[in-house]
Amino acid sequence: MSVHCVALSGGVGGAKLALGLSHVVPADALAVVVNTADDFRHLGLAISPDLDTLLYTLAARVNPDTGWGRSDEHWHCMEALEELGGETWFRLGDRDIATHLVRTARLADGARLTEVTAELRAALGVKTRVLPVSDDAIATQVHTDTGVLPFQEYFVRRRAEPRVQAVEFAGAGDAQPSPEVLAALQDARLQAILVAPSNPWLSIDPLLAVPGFAAALREALVPVVAVSPIVGGRALKGPTAKIMGELGLTQSALAVARHYQPWIDGFILDTVDKDLRPDVEALGITVHCSNTIMQTLDDRIELARTALDFARDCGKAAR
Ligand code: FO1
């Protein structure tokens, strides 16, 4: 029997696990709930970076060098934009722009982001459900030593260099999870919820900041298992460890486990962090140690299998 699974994901790191899961879980039994707080309007276009990273990865059309954007990309539009003195700090490839044009037009027609994403997914031949956490706008605002910056200004334009003091998810408190997300979490066949090794503070926290999503997660009667995005004190991708330091946290997988402790049942530590096992278990969390570095497709599939097996074995903690 197939395992019914919901995965929570940000962009590049989450997409790797989602791809692994898509190889071991039948498409109708897998839904990936994706962060939308990185979304923004740029050059008049509605850009949803994490949703697109998931779609392109699952469609085997992602740029293998960056993990975001499309493979076989051309940059004629950016070159022409530069000539015209337009803004080029956020690199939009020609093929990628087509996605943003379709999304922008469909949203202007009144379609929900979930519907547009389903249409793009169908067009790209992706069978796995890719679900924005909400159809309502959520926008990460990063409070830094140089002022409050919209997420992409902080992350791309300023290369995540300013020191982070706090992270705010504007609009999240009033946002509703989409009906599709609630249905996935309330599906009687659901057996596991997996938290991908995405940035807890920038990619997973915005999901939890949507009150109806946090409530549905708490009410789900299945094990919630997180994969650590910190391995040997370093982030698998991006500025997670840097931000942890700036927020006054120890740069270790233990701090991630503490952050997730109120709502997870199991935690996958990389083997190099096996010495942290007793400290994580002392939080009331069941621990599994395995390789979590996903370099190849086989690594992604292996970690997906490991996480599903572990979720089945670890059960639901009494809280
Ligand atoms: N990340 C960059 O570091 N530089 C870029 O110019 C850039 C452009 C871009 C265009 C489309 C897209 O879907 C993603 C893009 N990203 C870029 C990645 C993205 O902004 C971040 O990785 C995520 O928001 C964080 O998950």
Side-chain angles (χ1 to χ4, degrees):
M1 206 186 73
S2 57
V3 180
H4 277 70
C5 170
V6 166
L8 314 187
S9 176
V12 179
K16 289 183 183 177
L17 184 65
L19 181 62
L21 286 166
S22 74
H23 281 256
V24 294
V25 179
D28 62 351
L30 175 62
V32 187
V33 177
V34 182
N35 172 38
T36 53
D38 297 6
D39 293 15
F40 74 135
R41 284 254 161 194
H42 185 60
L43 302 168
L45 299 173
I47 318 251
S48 295
D50 288 355
L51 286 172
D52 290 346
T53 296
L54 262 292
L55 291 177
Y56 296 158
T57 301
L58 292 168
R61 298 186 203 202
V62 79
N63 180 330
D65 300 324
T66 55
W68 51 263
R70 285 194 59 157
S71 54
D72 300 318
E73 192 53 284
H74 297 273
W75 302 92
H76 297 118
C77 183
M78 281 291 111
E79 284 157 23
L81 200 56
E82 189 157 18
E83 212 173 19
L84 298 174
E87 287 196 48
T88 55
W89 59 270
F90 196 77
R91 309 288 300 160
L92 295 170
D94 299 346
R95 291 182 198 276
D96 188 33
I97 287 171
T99 305
H100 310 310
L101 287 171
V102 169
R103 181 187 295 113
T104 307
R106 291 289 294 123
L107 290 174
D109 286 346
R112 295 184 299 125
L113 183 59
T114 303
E115 293 166 337
V116 182
T117 307
E119 290 162 12
L120 291 169
R121 169 167 91 77
L124 291 168
V126 174
K127 300 248 161 31
T128 299
R129 272 167 296 157
V130 175
L131 304 176
V133 62
S134 175
D135 291 314
D136 303 321
I138 308 171
T140 298
Q141 302 286 328
V142 188
H143 294 242
T144 74
D145 56 353
T146 60
V148 181
L149 300 171
F151 180 77
Q152 299 296 348
E153 290 269 343
Y154 159 77
F155 195 85
V156 174
R157 195 173 203 168
R158 306 286 296 272
R159 297 191 180 86
E161 280 164 6
R163 284 182 69 81
V164 175
Q165 294 164 342
V167 185
E168 180 194 344
F169 307 113
D174 298 322
Q176 305 288 327
S178 73
E180 290 81 356
V181 164
L182 288 180
L185 287 174
Q186 291 163 358
D187 190 322
R189 295 165 301 176
L190 186 64
Q191 287 162 293
I193 298 172
L194 302 182
V195 186
S198 299
N199 185 318
W201 288 271
L202 295 179
S203 300
I204 302 299
D205 277 3
L207 309 181
L208 275 293
V210 177
F213 180 82
L217 197 61
R218 274 196 307 274
E219 283 156 20
L221 298 172
V222 301
V224 182
V225 162
V227 180
S228 178
I230 297 286
V231 174
R234 298 165 71 111
L236 288 176
K237 178 98 180 56
T240 310
K242 175 179 178 283
I243 291 169
M244 289 174 80
E246 291 163 358
L247 293 175
L249 300 160
T250 314
Q251 291 151 324
S252 102
L254 176 60
V256 175
R258 277 207 190 99
H259 189 66
Y260 286 159
Q261 190 271 341
W263 54 276
I264 63 166
D265 305 293
F267 194 65
I268 301 186
L269 278 174
D270 193 273
T271 319
V272 303
D273 289 319
K274 61 180 184 316
D275 292 351
L276 295 174
R277 177 191 274 265
D279 292 335
V280 178
E281 285 175 345
L283 299 170
I285 298 169
T286 307
V287 173
H288 180 81
C289 292
S290 83
N291 169 48
T292 60
I293 311 283
M294 293 180 280
Q295 267 156 355
T296 65
L297 177 60
D298 282 349
D299 294 338
R300 293 160 172 73
I301 294 171
E302 186 63 34
L303 184 58
R305 278 214 182 90
T306 300
L308 290 170
D309 289 348
F310 173 51
R312 191 193 53 223
D313 295 344
C314 96
K316 191 86 193 145
R319 274 195 282 257

Short mmCIF file of all heavy atoms in Angstrom, two decimals, residues 14 19-20 28 45 62 64 88 109 130 160 167 172 189 196 208 222 274 282 286 292 305 315:
data_model
loop_
_atom_site.label_atom_id
_atom_site.label_comp_id
_atom_site.label_asym_id
_atom_site.label_seq_id
_atom_site.Cartn_x
_atom_site.Cartn_y
_atom_site.Cartn_z
N GLY A 14 14.26 21.96 -0.24
CA GLY A 14 12.99 21.22 -0.13
C GLY A 14 12.67 20.50 -1.43
O GLY A 14 12.14 19.37 -1.41
N LEU A 19 11.61 15.81 -4.85
CA LEU A 19 11.90 15.00 -6.03
C LEU A 19 12.12 13.53 -5.63
O LEU A 19 11.59 12.61 -6.27
CB LEU A 19 13.14 15.54 -6.76
CG LEU A 19 13.54 14.78 -8.03
CD1 LEU A 19 12.44 14.86 -9.08
CD2 LEU A 19 14.85 15.33 -8.60
N GLY A 20 12.87 13.32 -4.55
CA GLY A 20 13.06 11.96 -4.04
C GLY A 20 11.72 11.32 -3.70
O GLY A 20 11.45 10.17 -4.08
N ASP A 28 -0.71 10.55 -6.63
CA ASP A 28 -1.97 10.90 -5.96
C ASP A 28 -1.87 10.79 -4.44
O ASP A 28 -2.81 11.12 -3.72
CB ASP A 28 -3.13 10.06 -6.50
CG ASP A 28 -2.92 8.57 -6.23
OD1 ASP A 28 -1.81 8.19 -5.78
OD2 ASP A 28 -3.86 7.79 -6.46
N LEU A 45 5.59 41.74 -12.75
CA LEU A 45 5.30 40.30 -12.82
C LEU A 45 5.10 39.70 -11.43
O LEU A 45 5.77 40.10 -10.47
CB LEU A 45 6.45 39.57 -13.53
CG LEU A 45 6.72 40.00 -14.96
CD1 LEU A 45 7.98 39.31 -15.48
CD2 LEU A 45 5.53 39.67 -15.85
N VAL A 62 14.83 22.10 -14.04
CA VAL A 62 15.47 23.13 -13.21
C VAL A 62 16.91 23.33 -13.65
O VAL A 62 17.55 22.41 -14.16
CB VAL A 62 15.39 22.75 -11.71
CG1 VAL A 62 16.43 21.72 -11.30
CG2 VAL A 62 15.49 24.00 -10.83
N PRO A 64 20.47 23.10 -13.23
CA PRO A 64 21.22 22.25 -12.29
C PRO A 64 22.31 23.02 -11.55
O PRO A 64 22.74 22.59 -10.48
CB PRO A 64 21.82 21.16 -13.19
CG PRO A 64 21.84 21.75 -14.56
CD PRO A 64 20.73 22.75 -14.64
N THR A 88 18.07 44.77 -13.18
CA THR A 88 18.53 43.42 -13.56
C THR A 88 19.11 42.64 -12.37
O THR A 88 19.68 41.57 -12.57
CB THR A 88 19.60 43.51 -14.67
OG1 THR A 88 20.63 44.37 -14.20
CG2 THR A 88 19.03 44.05 -15.97
N ASP A 109 -6.84 37.69 -14.02
CA ASP A 109 -8.18 37.19 -14.42
C ASP A 109 -9.03 36.79 -13.21
O ASP A 109 -10.19 36.44 -13.35
CB ASP A 109 -8.06 35.88 -15.24
CG ASP A 109 -7.55 36.15 -16.65
OD1 ASP A 109 -7.55 37.32 -17.06
OD2 ASP A 109 -7.16 35.17 -17.32
N VAL A 130 1.55 20.37 -6.07
CA VAL A 130 2.40 21.43 -5.53
C VAL A 130 1.44 22.53 -5.07
O VAL A 130 0.78 23.15 -5.90
CB VAL A 130 3.39 21.95 -6.59
CG1 VAL A 130 4.19 23.12 -6.07
CG2 VAL A 130 4.32 20.82 -7.06
N ALA A 160 22.05 38.49 1.28
CA ALA A 160 21.87 38.06 2.67
C ALA A 160 23.01 38.56 3.57
O ALA A 160 23.33 37.93 4.58
CB ALA A 160 21.73 36.53 2.75
N VAL A 167 12.52 38.39 11.86
CA VAL A 167 11.88 38.10 10.57
C VAL A 167 10.36 38.19 10.78
O VAL A 167 9.83 37.64 11.75
CB VAL A 167 12.26 36.68 10.06
CG1 VAL A 167 11.68 36.45 8.67
CG2 VAL A 167 13.77 36.49 10.05
N ALA A 172 0.55 37.15 7.10
CA ALA A 172 0.34 35.73 7.45
C ALA A 172 -0.77 35.56 8.48
O ALA A 172 -1.57 34.62 8.41
CB ALA A 172 1.64 35.12 7.96
N ARG A 189 -6.43 9.26 4.70
CA ARG A 189 -5.40 8.29 4.30
C ARG A 189 -3.98 8.77 4.64
O ARG A 189 -3.01 8.04 4.46
CB ARG A 189 -5.49 8.03 2.80
CG ARG A 189 -6.78 7.36 2.37
CD ARG A 189 -6.98 7.47 0.88
NE ARG A 189 -7.01 8.86 0.46
CZ ARG A 189 -7.10 9.28 -0.81
NH1 ARG A 189 -7.16 8.40 -1.78
NH2 ARG A 189 -7.12 10.56 -1.11
N ALA A 196 10.90 19.27 5.00
CA ALA A 196 12.12 19.18 4.19
C ALA A 196 13.25 19.99 4.84
O ALA A 196 12.99 20.86 5.68
CB ALA A 196 11.83 19.72 2.79
N LEU A 208 3.96 28.13 9.25
CA LEU A 208 3.40 28.05 10.60
C LEU A 208 2.78 29.38 11.04
O LEU A 208 1.97 29.41 11.97
CB LEU A 208 4.51 27.66 11.60
CG LEU A 208 4.84 26.18 11.81
CD1 LEU A 208 3.68 25.46 12.45
CD2 LEU A 208 5.24 25.47 10.55
N VAL A 222 -1.00 12.22 12.45
CA VAL A 222 0.08 11.41 11.88
C VAL A 222 1.42 11.97 12.34
O VAL A 222 1.51 13.14 12.72
CB VAL A 222 0.00 11.41 10.32
CG1 VAL A 222 -1.32 10.86 9.86
CG2 VAL A 222 0.26 12.79 9.75
N LYS A 274 25.63 12.63 15.05
CA LYS A 274 25.02 11.58 15.89
C LYS A 274 25.21 11.84 17.39
O LYS A 274 24.40 11.40 18.19
CB LYS A 274 25.51 10.19 15.48
CG LYS A 274 26.98 9.94 15.61
CD LYS A 274 27.28 8.52 15.16
CE LYS A 274 28.72 8.12 15.35
NZ LYS A 274 29.73 9.11 14.94
N ALA A 282 16.18 14.26 24.50
CA ALA A 282 15.77 14.86 25.78
C ALA A 282 14.64 15.89 25.59
O ALA A 282 13.95 16.25 26.54
CB ALA A 282 16.98 15.53 26.46
N THR A 286 11.79 11.77 18.84
CA THR A 286 12.46 10.53 18.41
C THR A 286 13.48 10.90 17.33
O THR A 286 13.20 11.74 16.47
CB THR A 286 11.41 9.54 17.86
OG1 THR A 286 10.40 9.38 18.84
CG2 THR A 286 12.03 8.18 17.56
N THR A 292 22.18 12.80 5.14
CA THR A 292 21.13 13.73 4.68
C THR A 292 21.60 14.59 3.51
O THR A 292 20.86 15.45 3.03
CB THR A 292 20.67 14.67 5.82
OG1 THR A 292 21.80 15.42 6.27
CG2 THR A 292 20.05 13.90 6.97
N ARG A 305 12.97 7.67 1.18
CA ARG A 305 12.59 6.35 1.74
C ARG A 305 12.86 6.30 3.24
O ARG A 305 12.02 5.86 4.03
CB ARG A 305 13.43 5.24 1.09
CG ARG A 305 12.90 4.81 -0.22
CD ARG A 305 13.13 3.30 -0.47
NE ARG A 305 12.63 3.03 -1.80
CZ ARG A 305 13.35 3.11 -2.91
NH1 ARG A 305 14.65 3.37 -2.84
NH2 ARG A 305 12.80 2.90 -4.08
N GLY A 315 6.06 7.02 15.07
CA GLY A 315 4.73 7.24 15.66
C GLY A 315 4.53 8.66 16.13
O GLY A 315 5.38 9.53 15.93
#
